[in-house]
Amino acid sequence: MSTHAEKRPLPYTPEQLFDLVADVEKYPEFLPWCVGARVRSNDGTLIVADLVIGYKVFRERFTSKVKLDHPDRIDVEYSDGPFRYLNNHWKFERNEDGTTTIDFYVDFEFKSRLMQKMIGVVFNEAVRRMVQAFEDRAHQLYR
């Protein structure tokens, strides 16, 4: 089991941050280890998407249902792929000073013990890089 949670204020609106996280097809442009993304369906409240994650010789595809509650929350429900389970959410809380606090949480376990052991070594750094990539992308788009 690998879990990471963090909160941090960012100088953007909840709408901006929500739109950035909900734009799944753009992930390969800025998200480390995301080498492919395909949206199967999007009705405005639910996205079904495939992501391909690659690191060195490993490449895995997984399918998720992304529930959109604009502009406050995004919940990711795992459907198919290399995980035993995956739970992920983003919450966007508007602050009085005009900033937004993001509340990010991810918890997952691979089906393969080898994969779980390998990711365990770099998990915290990998998740920090991913969250930082979203922050950098927001800076690039909205500053």
Side-chain angles (χ1 to χ4, degrees):
M1 177 168 98
S2 299
T3 303
H4 179 86
E6 73 177 82
K7 286 185 176 187
R8 70 168 79 168
L10 295 175
Y12 310 105
T13 68
E15 292 82 6
Q16 289 172 319
L17 294 170
F18 180 96
D19 290 346
L20 170 64
V21 175
D23 195 2
V24 175
E25 286 183 312
K26 294 279 188 355
Y27 285 8
E29 294 178 16
F30 68 93
L31 193 57
W33 308 294
C34 184
V35 297
R38 178 176 67 106
V39 171
R40 292 183 182 194
S41 64
N42 182 353
D43 69 5
T45 61
L46 180 69
I47 299 171
V48 177
D50 295 327
L51 291 182
V52 179
I53 305 300
Y55 181 73
K56 295 186 180 184
V57 298
F58 293 100
R59 189 176 220 113
E60 293 287 346
R61 180 195 61 80
F62 68 96
T63 303
S64 296
K65 295 177 183 174
V66 182
K67 296 178 184 176
L68 307 173
D69 183 11
H70 191 273
D72 304 311
R73 183 179 178 119
I74 296 175
D75 289 289
V76 179
E77 179 183 310
Y78 173 69
S79 295
D80 182 46
F83 298 102
R84 212 173 241 108
Y85 67 86
L86 176 124
N87 299 307
N88 173 229
H89 76 238
W90 293 83
K91 295 180 186 174
F92 310 99
E93 301 165 5
R94 190 180 311 271
N95 301 319
E96 289 182 17
D97 65 358
T99 65
T100 299
T101 297
I102 60 163
D103 175 346
F104 173 79
Y105 173 84
V106 65
D107 176 34
F108 67 88
E109 184 176 334
F110 282 100
K111 292 175 188 172
S112 160
R113 287 184 182 191
L114 175 63
M115 285 290 288
Q116 189 65 30
K117 187 173 183 178
M118 290 183 66
I119 197 67
V121 174
V122 297
F123 174 74
N124 285 331
E125 180 61 26
V127 173
R128 274 195 289 277
R129 282 190 189 181
M130 289 171 49
V131 174
Q132 186 63 51
F134 279 99
E135 185 175 344
D136 293 346
R137 180 70 167 188
H139 182 75
Q140 181 183 35
L141 293 175
Y142 305 126
R143 273 276 159 124

